[in-house]
Amino acid sequence: MSDSPLREDARTWREALDRFIAAQRPAPLPDKDALDPRQNAQRRVTGGVLLQFFDFLEKTASEELYPQLAEHPLPERVFVFVTDEAGYCAATELMDLSTPQATCVLKEEWREAIEDPVFEDDETYIHHYQFWSVWHRNIPENWDVSALEPGTEYWLHEEGFALADGAGRGAQHLWRWNGTELSLVEETMTSWTS
């Protein structure tokens, strides 16, 4: 018997997720020493927003703010951190991934899991709650962004959470990478709250 407050059905859901991810992941994920300088800068930003989320959970996320949590309290569910390789490295530094209560999966793995008809994706957040922090270069065409100097790139950072059905928020932030430094261009280019 475990000391974990996870409900048995949440534990079963977590075990199914672990099996699915293990079957999808071809090799171990890199450690932070294998990250390139850009990924390392993204790791630091992701670690910062992950710490902010943990602080939010501790101080703000309540049944008063989110009445949905009364029926399915967070400690009884699995915390799923959805991210990229840089974020995974941040998670290994900031989270205890050996506990049944928390896991970290890559964005592509999570998408495959929730789209697979065999895996029960828990879209009503009964067995899990999630936080995501992912980086990509797919800047929406309708955004008014300045032309960049050669050797400089825009990166979009998407982060947010879903604690329960109708209880979440997300935002997109625009960053610039100049080959040595990552700098914030525009915080919260877009955001949503539910």
Side-chain angles (χ1 to χ4, degrees), residues 45-79:
V45 172
T46 295
V49 296
L50 185 58
L51 288 174
Q52 289 174 348
F53 176 67
F54 292 152
D55 189 55
F56 166 80
L57 287 179
E58 185 178 330
K59 296 178 180 171
T60 309
S62 65
E63 290 176 19
E64 185 176 310
L65 183 60
Y66 299 112
Q68 307 92 316
L69 300 181
E71 193 172 335
H72 302 289
L74 295 179
E76 295 179 1
R77 295 187 277 147
V78 177
F79 170 59

Side-chain angles (χ1 to χ4, degrees), residues 1 16 18 23 37 44 46-48 50 62 64 66 69 88 93 98 110 124 140 148 157-158 171 181 187:
M1 188 75 178
D18 287 347
R44 289 191 302 274
T46 295
L50 185 58
S62 65
E64 185 176 310
Y66 299 112
L69 300 181
Y88 177 82
E93 294 176 303
S98 67
W110 181 245
T124 57
L148 291 170
H157 179 219
E158 295 189 46
E181 184 177 75
E187 186 169 18

Side-chain angles (χ1 to χ4, degrees), residues 58-181:
E58 185 178 330
K59 296 178 180 171
T60 309
S62 65
E63 290 176 19
E64 185 176 310
L65 183 60
Y66 299 112
Q68 307 92 316
L69 300 181
E71 193 172 335
H72 302 289
L74 295 179
E76 295 179 1
R77 295 187 277 147
V78 177
F79 170 59
V80 178
F81 178 36
V82 181
T83 192
D84 45 37
E85 289 182 353
Y88 177 82
C89 291
T92 62
E93 294 176 303
L94 300 172
M95 296 171 54
D96 180 0
L97 295 175
S98 67
T99 176
Q101 289 182 257
T103 190
C104 181
V105 298
L106 298 180
K107 173 184 69 173
E108 296 81 12
E109 295 169 338
W110 181 245
R111 285 189 177 152
E112 286 180 31
I114 63 176
E115 291 173 3
D116 190 288
V118 175
F119 179 74
E120 192 255 301
D121 66 2
D122 189 35
E123 66 185 22
T124 57
Y125 300 96
I126 293 170
H127 306 307
H128 85 289
Y129 61 104
Q130 66 189 48
F131 177 77
W132 61 89
S133 174
V134 294
W135 295 83
H136 60 81
R137 299 204 49 224
N138 300 326
I139 311 301
E141 290 181 16
N142 62 337
W143 284 12
D144 185 23
V145 295
S146 303
L148 291 170
E149 299 169 11
T152 304
E153 325 175 303
Y154 282 126
W155 281 84
L156 188 63
H157 179 219
E158 295 189 46
E159 51 99 2
F161 66 85
L163 301 180
D165 194 24
R169 72 143 191 92
Q172 295 178 314
H173 315 288
L174 186 63
W175 291 77
R176 180 184 307 112
W177 173 251
N178 67 7
T180 57
E181 184 177 75

